[in-house]
Amino acid sequence: MVALILFGSFFLLLFLNIPIALSLGMSSIITLLYEKLPLSMVPSNMYSSTSKFVLLAIPFFIFGGNIMAEGGISERLINFCRSLVGHKRSGMALVCVIVSCFFAAISGSGPATVAALGMIIIPAMVQAGYDKASGTALMSTAGAIGIIIPPSITFVIYGSITGTSVGSLFASGIVPGILMGVLLVVAMMWVSRKRELQLLPKATWKERWESFKDAFWGLMMPVIILGGIYGGIFTPTEAAAVSAIYGLFVGLFIYKTITFKDVPRILADSVSQTAVVMFIVGTASLFAWILTVTGLAAQASNVLISVSSGNKYIFLLIVNIILLIAGCFIDANSACYILVPILVPVATALGINPIHLGCIMIVNMAIGMVTPPVGVNLYVGCGIAKISLKEISIAVLPFIVASIAALLLTTYVPIISMFLPNLLG
């Protein structure tokens, strides 16, 4: 009965178009009242879940990403990648994916990556001869790599829930993120195989050098973040603070594309975005706490063990199916809080490394960002390209297939996600 009340009220509220964070909180409160548990657990649980030191990385990464986006880094990255591969047949598709991977390492957010790059890349792809819907679908899917390539806010949240090293989680996402990018380019090559594409003139080495110098300070940001973490210079949380200061310095004094008058506005935007994320963290953690104290998480874990018959490969297949369905309806951060208490104990019992499981979960959630009806990246892409959700929902199918191929490889070939964490210790 508790499960019916908790999940029934949650999905009813979602069906009524109530925001996910409010749906999680309200369904949790309804269940607390039914179970006659003290309502004082609401503020205390939300406070304890959002006051973790590791979560300080979130506002800093958001601020750093906003600063670099405002600072014109997206145009510089695009120009640099164009100079390298723009002359090839699938040059603009390559530019889209490569720049998305670079920008993902700055913003850590899928929608932010699509919003920052889409305004430039989508029109450029159309001009090069690509279908607008397919170009927008590729940009939306490539933007989802933003939560796989470090630094990723979703990895920070997963690490805070499980106590897993955030640095190791960051490392686990690098190869799967690149793999997804490669397969997306292959999918675009197949989709556009019969189209007459306009090739850019091949850039000279001098032009490439100039574009590299122009993009250098933006390219250094992920190097500083990841190099500092894996070089033992600072923690992921400290790295986030360093990225914010570095971005501010580059924007104000090197690129000079922002002024001191712009800083309060960017800070306000960053605070607003952080508030949204932390509100979801608070309500989702309350929901997860109820799953635990009512025994629902343990029951669900036992059911998973029973259904998979203790076979970790069957379990991982079930996990992927559950996460792909969940990704159609809820955001990545909420999914972590709801599903991690259920999945991690089973994975641990079956000998699956929690870092590997975390990477699988985040790749699934990345796919969820482009699967209707709640595929947030699709809505951002539609708004930029001025096309309907129906058009992009059809066009995105080949890229979802490519992403699922990357997911299956990440799932069943653990070395793909575990190679760098093991190498870096």
Side-chain angles (χ1 to χ4, degrees):
M1 189 63 183
V2 178
L4 179 62
I5 291 171
L6 182 63
F7 287 101
S9 59
F10 172 62
F11 285 110
L12 176 62
L13 291 166
L14 277 184
F15 179 76
L16 294 174
N17 208 28
I18 305 296
I20 290 174
L22 286 176
S23 298
L24 288 166
M26 292 168 67
S27 60
S28 298
I29 291 172
I30 291 169
T31 308
L32 283 173
L33 291 171
Y34 174 79
E35 286 287 286
K36 298 180 181 178
L37 293 169
L39 288 178
S40 60
M41 288 307 305
V42 176
S44 64
N45 189 282
M46 290 182 69
Y47 173 78
S48 62
S49 65
T50 55
S51 60
K52 297 177 181 178
F53 176 74
V54 69
L55 295 181
L56 276 175
I58 294 174
F60 287 125
F61 278 136
I62 288 174
F63 180 60
N66 286 344
I67 284 284
M68 295 301 277
E70 290 273 347
I73 182 61
S74 54
E75 294 90 343
R76 289 174 168 85
L77 288 174
I78 290 169
N79 289 335
F80 174 54
C81 291
R82 271 178 172 167
S83 71
L84 294 178
V85 298
H87 60 283
K88 298 183 180 296
R89 171 170 167 76
S90 298
M92 281 310 302
L94 284 165
V95 169
C96 177
V97 172
I98 293 170
V99 176
S100 294
C101 289
F102 272 119
F103 199 85
I106 294 172
S107 72
S109 166
T113 302
V114 179
L117 303 177
M119 294 291 290
I120 304 169
I121 288 181
I122 293 173
M125 293 189 74
V126 173
Q127 186 178 1
Y130 291 96
D131 174 69
K132 181 188 278 190
S134 295
T136 307
L138 175 64
M139 182 70 256
S140 301
T141 315
I145 298 174
I147 68 168
I148 305 174
I149 295 280
S152 163
I153 291 171
T154 311
F155 271 134
V156 172
I157 289 175
Y158 178 89
S160 75
I161 299 170
T162 61
T164 309
S165 164
V166 174
S168 296
L169 288 168
F170 279 178
S172 74
I174 295 173
V175 177
I178 294 171
L179 173 64
M180 181 180 287
V182 170
L183 293 179
L184 289 178
V185 172
V186 172
M188 191 57 166
M189 291 171 66
W190 182 82
V191 168
S192 59
R193 65 194 183 282
K194 296 180 180 180
R195 298 186 71 89
E196 290 293 330
L197 301 179
Q198 178 184 343
L199 305 183
L200 294 174
K202 187 174 182 179
T204 65
W205 284 106
K206 181 180 179 181
E207 289 171 333
R208 290 174 177 174
W209 175 247
E210 291 299 322
S211 64
F212 170 74
K213 287 195 298 182
D214 197 32
F216 174 78
W217 296 101
L219 295 171
M220 282 301 294
M221 190 170 187
V223 173
I224 291 171
I225 294 171
L226 300 179
I229 292 172
Y230 301 123
I233 301 171
F234 35 65
T235 66
T237 304
E238 292 165 345
V242 169
S243 75
I245 295 170
Y246 175 80
L248 193 60
F249 177 79
V250 170
L252 287 171
F253 302 111
I254 298 178
Y255 288 154
K256 298 180 181 178
T257 45
I258 59 173
T259 66
F260 284 101
K261 290 182 180 179
D262 296 321
V263 175
R265 175 180 54 81
I266 298 171
L267 270 171
D269 289 343
S270 301
V271 168
S272 176
Q273 294 170 33
T274 301
V276 171
V277 174
M278 298 309 288
F279 186 44
I280 291 174
V281 167
T283 55
S285 67
L286 178 63
F287 192 97
W289 178 80
I290 291 173
L291 282 175
T292 302
V293 297
T294 57
L296 291 176
Q299 292 173 31
S301 297
N302 291 334
V303 169
L304 278 175
I305 291 175
S306 175
V307 171
S308 63
S309 303
N311 186 309
K312 69 178 182 180
Y313 299 107
I314 296 175
F315 167 73
L316 288 173
L317 177 63
I318 295 170
V319 166
N320 283 329
I321 293 170
I322 291 171
L323 289 170
L324 286 172
I325 295 172
C328 294
F329 301 98
I330 56 178
D331 67 281
N333 300 333
S334 301
C336 279
Y337 274 96
I338 295 170
L339 296 172
V340 163
I342 297 170
L343 300 179
V344 169
V346 182
T348 303
L350 295 177
I352 299 169
N353 192 303
I355 295 173
H356 182 211
L357 179 67
C359 189
I360 292 169
M361 288 192 69
I362 273 59
V363 174
N364 268 289
M365 293 298 104
I367 297 172
M369 300 179 88
V370 290
T371 50
V374 188
V376 62
N377 281 19
L378 295 184
Y379 289 100
V380 176
C382 286
I384 293 170
K386 302 293 188 287
I387 61 174
S388 69
L389 183 63
K390 181 181 178 181
E391 287 178 274
I392 197 172
S393 296
I394 296 170
V396 81
L397 290 176
F399 306 111
I400 291 177
V401 171
S403 300
I404 290 175
L407 169 64
L408 292 175
L409 287 170
T410 301
T411 300
Y412 292 109
V413 187
I415 194 67
I416 291 175
S417 61
M418 295 304 299
F419 169 71
L420 285 178
N422 291 338
L423 180 67
L424 298 170

